[in-house]
Amino acid sequence: MKFSISRDSLLKPLQLVAGVVERRQTLPVLANVLIVLEDDRLALTGTDLEVEIVGRVQLEQGGEPGQITVPARKLFDICRSLPDGAIIDFIEDDQKVTVKSGRSRFSLATLPASDFPNVEDSPQDLQFNCAQQTIKHMIESTGFAMAQQDVRYYLNGMLWEVSQGLLRFVSTDGHRLAMVTNELDIQTPELKQAILPRKGVVELSRLLEESDDNVCISLGSTHIRATTDNYTFTSKLVDGKFPDYERVLPKNGNKTVIGNRAELKQAFARTAILSNEKYRGVRLLLSDGQLTVTANNPEQEEAEEQVVVDYAGDSVEIGFNVSYLQDVVNVLSSENVRFTLSDSNSSALVEEPEGGDATYVVMPMRL
């Protein structure tokens, strides 16, 4: 195998592919990236057996075809250290790969391509196309609420729910819930649910661009695949049942508060400074036209912020984890935020008042 490529063409796909590769591996070949050259099309593949990414690069001129695996991290570090605009020559000879650029020369150990695992193709039950930025926006609107290393392994991921004309993402860690729904051209006779693991969610979000370019989503019983012009992303699905999120959505909230998002964001950020570092609790005291946010900590320090809000009704005091409130106001893009709740023991429903596509639930905490 022999080919030449510019550093700038190789760096981004190599970074995304190498990002999937885990530093500690059970199989030595999993630390490598698979390089396949056919005519003038170069394909780079990285996998950890859960998630696989294939990046495709068009060469300016063809080379000698072949396939080999080389250490992913070392190859990426070499390419990154070369100057902008550098031309890189790859030559494979006798199970060694030589990487040359200008006066730099590197010789890398290889493993045969036949050792590289292939994520099996499962039959795809459902397929649809949409803009890359749609999926990216939906992931960014909900991803923060995924659990991390929860024993309830099905919470360490994101629910994708597909029905006729609708795509919905839901994530929850048991203390808060994020849900976003979009109308898309999806033809399916029945509701289909799949749980994408946390790593798959993160890698897919990195892969997608803020553009109208299409991504093709294929959903099978054990795998999900996303294909763009330059990449193919495949991930195993979590084998588990996601909780019934509809039951978590508060239905009978009779107190509605509308406040300026920027002001609330600043108030939460400032009171968080003096909240208990472990529990992160703040008190929200609602009265006519005003929201008072207070926090204190074991050192007897206190913070208080007053925000003018649109609220008329009985006074109510409720405690929340301030980090959860911050996460929600950070991902919303509207000028105002609407909170709906019923009493001091009930969850708060947080939405954009102008009817956005996302809904958030934050459970209260006892202070």
Side-chain angles (χ1 to χ4, degrees):
M1 183 168 70
K2 184 177 179 182
F3 64 91
S4 296
I5 187 171
S6 73
R7 168 193 181 269
D8 305 340
S9 302
L10 182 63
L11 199 58
K12 187 185 177 192
L14 183 57
Q15 181 178 15
L16 286 164
V17 168
V20 180
V21 176
E22 297 284 354
R23 290 185 183 276
R24 289 193 294 276
Q25 292 295 355
T26 48
L27 292 169
V29 77
L30 289 179
N32 285 14
V33 57
L34 171 67
I35 301 177
V36 179
L37 178 63
E38 291 178 359
D39 299 325
D40 59 352
R41 292 286 282 177
L42 183 71
L44 308 165
T45 306
T47 184
D48 65 350
L49 298 181
E50 293 285 325
V51 176
E52 176 192 86
I53 293 180
V54 183
R56 293 179 288 278
V57 187
Q58 186 81 37
L59 299 182
E60 290 185 9
Q61 58 193 55
E64 294 176 12
Q67 51 184 23
I68 195 72
T69 78
V70 296
R73 189 64 52 184
K74 289 174 186 169
L75 179 60
F76 172 63
D77 287 343
I78 288 169
C79 293
R80 187 174 57 176
S81 67
L82 293 171
D84 290 352
I87 299 296
I88 304 170
D89 297 320
F90 281 80
I91 303 145
E92 183 228 335
D93 184 37
D94 192 27
Q95 297 298 305
K96 284 272 186 188
V97 162
T98 303
V99 181
K100 290 198 294 189
S101 179
R103 296 179 182 178
S104 306
R105 183 177 179 279
F106 307 88
S107 180
L108 289 171
T110 67
L111 288 168
S114 56
D115 291 356
F116 199 81
N118 182 28
V119 175
E120 68 269 25
D121 273 345
S122 63
Q124 306 300 329
D125 306 339
L126 177 64
Q127 205 168 49
F128 61 91
N129 291 300
C130 70
Q132 292 188 36
Q133 63 184 11
T134 301
I135 302 289
K136 190 176 179 73
H137 159 73
M138 292 178 72
I139 288 176
E140 288 172 351
S141 298
T142 52
F144 66 85
M146 287 187 292
Q148 297 194 46
Q149 299 176 324
D150 198 296
V151 290
R152 298 163 294 180
Y153 59 93
Y154 46 82
L155 296 185
N156 302 321
M158 181 182 287
L159 174 71
W160 287 37
E161 187 176 273
V162 188
S163 56
Q164 182 68 32
L166 279 184
L167 177 64
R168 174 173 286 171
F169 292 180
V170 186
S171 58
T172 179
D173 60 5
H175 303 287
R176 40 61 182 287
L177 177 141
M179 178 176 85
V180 62
T181 310
N182 243 306
E183 292 184 12
L184 295 175
D185 182 17
I186 300 173
Q187 305 301 322
T188 174
E190 58 192 38
L191 181 78
K192 181 165 178 61
Q193 290 190 333
I195 304 173
L196 184 59
R198 182 183 188 87
K199 181 172 181 178
V201 173
V202 171
E203 295 298 336
L204 181 56
S205 180
R206 285 175 55 202
L207 209 62
L208 296 171
E209 296 176 349
E210 296 275 1
S211 75
D212 291 328
D213 294 346
N214 253 8
V215 56
C216 175
I217 305 288
S218 307
L219 209 50
S221 54
T222 57
H223 286 76
I224 185 171
R225 178 162 287 164
T227 309
T228 69
D229 290 343
N230 298 323
Y231 298 98
T232 300
F233 162 92
T234 310
S235 172
K236 286 184 177 177
L237 297 172
V238 176
D239 182 16
K241 181 153 176 56
F242 203 79
D244 181 4
Y245 62 86
E246 295 275 5
R247 287 176 50 201
V248 180
L249 299 173
K251 300 285 192 294
N252 52 358
N254 55 6
K255 295 178 175 61
T256 304
V257 187
I258 296 178
N260 180 279
R261 186 179 71 88
E263 290 178 11
L264 288 167
K265 186 175 172 179
Q266 291 169 7
F268 293 149
R270 289 193 289 260
T271 47
I273 297 167
L274 295 187
S275 67
N276 184 315
E277 286 180 17
K278 185 177 179 186
Y279 300 110
R280 308 285 291 161
V282 294
R283 274 191 176 82
L284 270 57
L285 177 62
L286 266 176
S287 55
D288 276 352
Q290 184 170 288
L291 172 66
T292 305
V293 187
T294 60
N296 52 40
N297 59 32
E299 289 81 46
Q300 306 297 313
E301 297 166 330
E302 284 189 9
E304 181 180 296
E305 289 277 339
Q306 291 184 338
V307 183
V308 175
V309 293
D310 180 3
Y311 173 73
D314 300 337
S315 294
V316 63
E317 186 176 296
I318 185 166
F320 287 110
N321 181 318
V322 70
S323 300
Y324 297 165
L325 297 175
Q326 286 178 290
D327 285 343
V328 173
V329 293
N330 284 341
V331 295
L332 290 172
S333 55
S334 59
E335 185 183 347
N336 293 320
V337 185
R338 179 173 67 210
F339 293 81
T340 309
L341 40 96
S342 51
D343 56 47
S344 58
N345 297 316
S346 67
S347 298
L349 193 67
V350 190
E351 298 164 296
E352 295 183 352
E354 296 82 28
D357 55 6
T359 301
Y360 301 95
V361 179
V362 183
M363 290 180 68
M365 65 185 291
R366 293 180 183 215
L367 295 173

